[in-house]
Amino acid sequence: MDNENIVAPEEAVREAAKEGPSGAGKGVGAILRRLRMEKGWTLQELARASGVSVGMISQIERDLANPSVRVLTAIRQALGAPVPAVFSEVAPSRASGESGDPAFVRRASQRPFLELGSVRKELLTSSGHHHLQMMILHIEPGGHSGKTALSYPAEKGGMVLSGELLLKVDGREARLKEGDSFVFDSALAHSFSNPTDKPTQVMWIIGSVQLDRHL
């Protein structure tokens, strides 16, 4: 991992303040701490593997800071955790009879969620292991994926459900409006933001790809 991506401990508090409000993690910190402990790693080991500083990881785990999409992705990938593993599950409602649904169904009322400051993710994919992950991104006005571009082997696609999305891929950018769709190679540096003063909703799809495509 490139050391230039590591945030110095003394900068962790300042970055945390920018990433999201205190206490807004809604369980993501506890989930990441559990995943780290299950792997038997110290904070220092996770920091080295992810390129995120010890100070930042510590604050995220205590729900004192909200990670950006980029930071959460770096930590999740270092832990070897699939996308659904970092979402907060919603217990099935017995009254509605949804607890007896087949495994391929995900009810609207039972979508796991993930709060990342200015971005909220709702998981649409049903439970279990899948090579395809679908979600809805709710992006607040001015919200974005993080200060550093994302990049990892996968394919991404989606469609703007409402509002506008500024999508940047491999140095090029497009301002997408309601109904516009996209597909791109996630190994290319990419980022997104909501450039307007109104909320944006995006159908977001991630498909895993064979490693040999990127060798």
Side-chain angles (χ1 to χ4, degrees), residues 84 89 101-106 112 123-130 133:
E89 288 284 352
D101 280 330
F104 57 81
V105 172
R106 171 74 71 187
L123 188 65
L124 304 180
T125 312
S126 58
S127 59
H129 176 73
H130 303 282
Q133 298 296 336

Side-chain angles (χ1 to χ4, degrees), residues 5-211:
N5 290 331
I6 298 179
V7 182
E10 61 270 18
E11 295 177 359
V13 174
R14 291 195 296 274
E15 182 171 339
K18 295 177 182 178
E19 299 286 5
S22 173
K26 294 187 183 298
V28 67
I31 292 172
L32 292 176
R33 183 177 187 278
R34 174 178 57 78
L35 292 172
R36 176 176 63 81
M37 298 295 287
E38 288 176 354
K39 203 171 182 66
W41 280 8
T42 64
L43 287 171
Q44 290 76 11
E45 288 172 322
L46 180 53
R48 285 194 294 270
S50 66
V52 180
S53 74
V54 170
M56 173 57 74
I57 294 173
S58 176
Q59 291 210 7
I60 292 170
E61 287 191 355
R62 291 180 291 148
D63 284 333
L64 297 176
N66 227 338
S68 66
V69 175
R70 196 275 305 176
V71 168
L72 179 62
T73 299
I75 295 175
R76 178 183 64 77
Q77 290 185 324
L79 291 169
V83 172
V86 296
F87 281 75
S88 298
E89 288 284 352
V90 178
S93 172
R94 292 184 179 179
S96 65
E98 295 173 0
S99 59
D101 280 330
F104 57 81
V105 172
R106 171 74 71 187
R107 297 286 183 177
S109 62
Q110 303 302 323
R111 293 174 184 168
F113 63 91
L114 180 61
E115 299 281 358
L116 298 173
S118 60
V119 179
R120 175 186 172 92
K121 295 183 175 183
E122 286 185 80
L123 188 65
L124 304 180
T125 312
S126 58
S127 59
H129 176 73
H130 303 282
H131 295 291
L132 187 70
Q133 298 296 336
M134 301 185 300
M135 60 191 75
I136 295 178
L137 270 55
H138 302 262
I139 312 170
E140 296 179 3
H144 55 84
S145 56
K147 295 178 294 183
T148 304
L150 298 158
S151 177
Y152 59 90
E155 285 188 332
K156 292 183 177 178
M159 184 180 75
V160 179
L161 302 175
S162 64
E164 297 186 25
L165 179 75
L166 183 62
L167 181 62
K168 299 181 180 180
V169 180
D170 197 27
R172 302 189 65 183
E173 66 178 50
R175 187 159 178 162
L176 306 174
K177 299 184 178 181
E178 183 176 333
D180 292 340
S181 56
F182 55 88
V183 175
F184 62 91
D185 184 347
S186 184
L188 301 173
H190 60 280
S191 62
F192 63 81
S193 63
N194 176 1
T196 73
D197 58 0
K198 297 180 180 180
T200 291
Q201 289 189 350
V202 181
M203 169 74 79
W204 194 261
I205 302 171
I206 305 174
S208 59
V209 298
Q210 295 179 350
L211 183 61

